[in-house]
Amino acid sequence: MEFDFLIPINEDVLELNSRLTSQHLGSKMVLHTKDQFPDLDKIKIALIGVLDNRGDSKVISDVDLNYIRKELYSLYPGNWEASIADLGDIAAGNTVEDTYFALKNVVSSLIKKKIIPIVIGGSQDLTYAMYRAYDDLEQMVNLVSIDSKFDLGKESEAISSDSYLTKIILDEPNNLFNFCNIGFQTYFNSQEEIDLVEKLFFDAYRLGDVSNAIAIAEPVFRDADLVSLDLGSIKSSASGNFINFTPNGFNGKEICSLSRYAGISDKVSSFGIFNHTNSKQESILITQIIWYFIEGFNYRSNEYPYGSKESYIKYMVPLEEDKLTFFKSNKTGRWWIEIPFISPSNNKLKRNTLLPCSYEEYLVACGNEMPERWWKAQRKNVV
């Protein structure tokens, strides 16, 4: 069984949880103990730890997630209906590849059961294993990374937290439809990497742009399947990570807002939080990031691709050489733009008929300009 890879939650954590009131989050979660594995039939969200950080050369200690659990269990839930389980941890395998294999199988099994895994690592190269979990699902994957770097490396390099994206792009089967980086800092990325991201028609948003208008990231998450968060994208004064000091980055409020956007997206089916340094301050922030993801999940509206187009107002915007079609949800006021097919025989791309966008992009089109994200998506559809 895939879940045999998971080891039970630490006894000290369980002992603390037993002393919490019935109102605390830990009392409302189903936990993996040495005596019992959770019944997953009614579970919507599953927490998984991965105790392997060998992909990060900068680490100085083993992964310890016990403090995160203690803090998370001690929070109070919102007015939530979704049932949550903590499935325990995947121990580091004899090799990194063994860890990837275990994580891939666990995540794949959960997604097939329509359970969203929240994975806490461990180094960010574990994102590769989460991406590979989609191999059996026969779909293209949209990956969103909240990170100060693109994590591109040389093809000859061993996979690591700083180079995993190269392996995702190059390895077969190649199911990556789109990659988007949120929060990159230019001085951490070579011009060659920036040019490559542009050449591949990927999307990237600078830290300053997102911090100045956090809502520009919402449509990006609405089109994501897998979201990977590098805790190094958070400035040290907010995260408590002074091992790898970062003067600039997202603050606590911003990173929790991004996490909520990921949770509220009807399409996001897995979420990973990586490069934890074991500091208590960072652990507390991680618990709040998880809390806001779950909060967002409980406010999902089941819009596109699950809803009917009858629930939308259709807007036609004529341009000089084209005509763009927008849809606005009657339920939430959110916007989509239609991407016409060039190769309708490719069934994997059918789910990308509508591209989430913002009202501002609609206004750009009304000004007789082509929205950049529409142009990039259109180029990806060309076969």
Side-chain angles (χ1 to χ4, degrees):
M1 287 288 293
E2 300 84 356
F3 302 118
D4 291 342
F5 294 115
L6 293 158
I7 57 178
I9 298 164
N10 183 277
E11 290 293 332
D12 288 343
V13 178
L14 295 173
E15 197 278 329
L16 176 140
N17 191 56
S18 68
R19 292 187 273 112
L20 297 176
T21 72
S22 60
Q23 299 301 311
H24 285 98
L25 180 57
S27 300
K28 298 179 181 297
M29 296 172 65
V30 185
L31 308 180
H32 180 193
T33 69
K34 65 180 181 180
D35 300 318
Q36 186 176 5
F37 188 83
D39 180 357
L40 299 178
D41 286 344
K42 296 182 179 180
I43 299 300
K44 296 297 183 183
I45 297 173
L47 194 68
I48 302 165
V50 185
L51 308 180
D52 195 334
N53 56 13
R54 285 175 285 185
D56 187 354
S57 60
K58 302 182 291 297
V59 298
I60 60 174
S61 60
D62 295 333
V63 184
D64 185 353
L65 306 178
N66 292 331
Y67 192 76
I68 292 175
R69 285 190 164 97
K70 290 178 181 180
E71 290 295 318
L72 180 64
Y73 294 175
S74 300
L75 298 179
Y76 291 99
N79 187 21
W80 300 341
E81 296 181 358
S83 50
I84 308 163
D86 188 340
L87 302 186
D89 298 323
I90 296 175
N94 291 329
T95 66
V96 175
E97 287 71 24
D98 290 338
T99 305
Y100 293 163
F101 178 82
L103 180 58
K104 171 191 171 183
N105 282 277
V106 170
V107 170
S108 179
S109 297
L110 290 172
I111 295 175
K112 287 177 182 177
K113 292 178 179 291
K114 300 189 184 304
I115 299 172
I116 296 182
I118 299 177
V119 178
I120 310 172
S123 43
Q124 199 181 11
D125 54 297
L126 295 167
T127 304
Y128 175 75
M130 294 182 68
Y131 165 74
R132 289 269 73 104
Y134 290 83
D135 287 352
D136 299 331
L137 303 178
E138 297 183 352
Q139 67 168 75
M140 301 298 282
V141 179
N142 287 343
L143 167 62
V144 171
S145 175
I146 305 171
D147 202 335
S148 60
K149 302 176 184 178
F150 294 133
D151 295 327
L152 289 164
K154 295 180 180 178
E155 186 175 352
S156 57
E157 285 183 19
I159 186 172
S160 71
S161 60
D162 293 323
S163 65
Y164 73 90
L165 183 59
T166 298
K167 193 167 179 64
I168 287 178
I169 294 172
L170 296 177
D171 272 16
E172 296 289 342
N174 193 318
N175 299 322
L176 183 67
F177 182 73
N178 190 41
F179 167 77
C180 179
N181 171 281
I182 294 178
F184 81 95
Q185 298 178 41
T186 308
Y187 38 71
F188 287 145
N189 300 276
S190 69
Q191 190 59 48
E192 182 182 17
E193 291 173 313
I194 295 172
D195 291 343
L196 179 61
V197 167
E198 185 69 22
K199 182 179 179 181
L200 293 173
F201 305 113
F202 291 159
D203 300 310
Y205 294 80
R206 292 181 63 175
L207 170 66
D209 293 333
V210 180
S211 293
N212 289 335
I214 196 81
I216 66 172
E218 186 276 327
V220 174
F221 288 108
R222 219 185 317 153
D223 202 36
D225 299 289
L226 164 59
V227 177
S228 174
L229 166 58
D230 182 349
L231 292 164
S233 65
I234 306 167
K235 60 183 178 181
S236 293
S237 59
S239 71
N241 177 7
F242 294 100
I243 298 171
N244 306 308
F245 181 71
T246 305
N248 292 307
F250 291 115
N251 61 34
K253 180 181 178 182
E254 291 165 346
I255 204 67
C256 286
S257 294
L258 294 176
S259 178
R260 191 177 189 278
Y261 284 149
I264 208 170
S265 165
D266 293 314
K267 197 160 173 278
V268 168
S269 53
S270 62
F271 182 47
I273 303 170
F274 301 110
N275 293 342
H276 176 40
T277 61
N278 295 339
S279 81
K280 288 189 175 182
Q281 184 174 334
E282 187 174 71
S283 297
I284 294 171
L285 180 57
I286 290 171
T287 66
Q288 295 185 12
I289 291 170
I290 294 170
W291 192 97
Y292 273 101
F293 180 89
I294 300 172
E295 170 85 347
F297 176 85
N298 279 271
Y299 283 95
R300 289 191 173 189
S301 55
N302 293 316
E303 292 181 316
Y304 180 80
Y306 308 103
S308 167
K309 285 187 178 180
E310 284 75 26
S311 304
Y312 302 84
I313 301 174
K314 185 176 182 180
Y315 294 83
M316 308 293 290
V317 180
L319 300 181
E320 289 183 358
E321 300 179 357
D322 213 329
K323 180 175 65 178
L324 300 185
T325 303
F326 289 84
F327 291 89
K328 179 185 178 183
S329 168
N330 290 329
K331 188 174 185 180
T332 64
R334 296 189 296 187
W335 289 77
W336 284 260
I337 185 171
E338 192 168 63
I339 306 296
F341 277 117
I342 303 301
S343 179
S345 62
N346 190 338
N347 292 329
K348 286 185 176 182
L349 299 184
K350 285 185 177 178
R351 65 206 301 274
N352 294 288
T353 308
L354 294 184
L355 178 72
C357 67
S358 64
Y359 173 64
E360 285 71 25
E361 287 170 301
Y362 166 73
L363 294 180
V364 166
C366 290
N368 203 34
E369 293 183 36
M370 191 72 72
E372 184 178 357
R373 291 184 68 239
W374 182 94
W375 179 81
K376 288 183 177 179
Q378 175 79 340
R379 291 300 299 260
K380 289 194 193 81
N381 265 331
V382 177
V383 177

